[in-house]
Amino acid sequence: MDADQLYAVAGLLGMSDQQIRLCVKRLVDEGRFTREGRGRKATLRAVADVNGSLAPDAAHVRHAYRQDAGHNPWDGTWHLFAFAVPESRRTARDALREHLVHLGAAPVQNGLYVTANPVTELVEAHARHLGVIDTLTRLTTTELSVGDVTEPAHWPPRCGRSPRSPDGTTASRPSPKPA
């Protein structure tokens, strides 16, 4: 893509040249794009999407559509991801956090995210690509509470948005299975 076109479209959307420069710099620093040239005369090219950060995994998207249509009911399993990436690897830590949110996970507290969807393989692949797989802990459970609260809709504000269940409503703790 010619950067001049990017600047023109972003300008129409009300973005300043400084915002565009910072965004392009971040995308290049993260290894998502390469840049040849400078400023408006530069050419930007997407790199091979080895970790699925530019285009979502087809199976994940298919699963989401099936959930929305009511064909894949939630199995009641929470998927949790914890990480402690040092400040010296801040870019990788931020990228992992953004990837988790992109996949629909919600923060429970610093470095701990939860989702109702089975995205472990996607998270692991991204953490491996970022070189922080050794800082990632994965856990699944059918019981989850934040403090004394078991209903995600009532979790404290520090948790950000509540994870969504497959039917698009706020996920809640699964009903006990009949014996």
Side-chain angles (χ1 to χ4, degrees):
M1 160 188 277
D2 291 329
D4 192 42
Q5 294 172 338
L6 175 64
Y7 277 86
V9 170
L12 292 172
L13 297 172
M15 293 180 69
S16 70
D17 284 5
Q18 178 67 13
Q19 288 173 309
I20 299 162
R21 279 192 295 274
L22 290 172
C23 184
V24 168
K25 180 183 182 328
R26 185 172 54 246
L27 291 170
V28 170
D29 288 348
E30 291 173 0
R32 296 180 186 195
F33 283 82
T34 60
R35 176 182 50 212
E36 297 170 11
R38 297 181 56 118
R40 291 178 179 265
K41 295 184 184 208
T43 300
L44 303 170
R45 288 190 175 81
V47 298
D49 191 20
V50 296
N51 61 6
S53 63
L54 299 175
D57 179 271
H60 180 68
V61 172
R62 193 170 26 259
H63 178 70
Y65 275 98
R66 290 189 51 77
Q67 284 182 328
D68 289 347
H71 300 298
N72 280 5
W74 183 44
D75 65 1
T77 302
W78 293 107
H79 303 267
L80 290 98
F81 303 92
F83 55 92
V85 179
E87 181 64 25
S88 62
R89 305 281 324 273
R90 182 180 191 167
T91 301
R93 182 183 64 215
D94 292 347
L96 181 57
R97 183 182 303 127
E98 288 173 18
H99 190 65
L100 283 161
V101 170
H102 172 76
L103 293 173
V108 176
Q109 58 192 39
N110 286 339
L112 178 62
Y113 287 74
V114 62
T115 180
N117 295 305
V119 295
T120 301
E121 289 181 18
L122 298 171
V123 175
E124 288 175 345
H126 194 67
R128 192 168 285 107
H129 171 75
L130 294 169
V132 294
I133 189 70
D134 59 323
T135 71
L136 180 67
T137 301
R138 288 82 77 200
L139 170 74
T140 58
T141 184
T142 56
E143 296 194 25
L144 180 65
S145 61
V146 177
D148 292 330
V149 182
T150 58
E151 295 297 324
H154 302 291
W155 283 347
R158 75 171 185 266
C159 296
R161 64 182 179 80
S162 295
R164 306 297 280 188
S165 67
D167 63 4
T169 60
T170 301
S172 58
R173 190 169 153 217
S175 302
K177 294 183 170 111

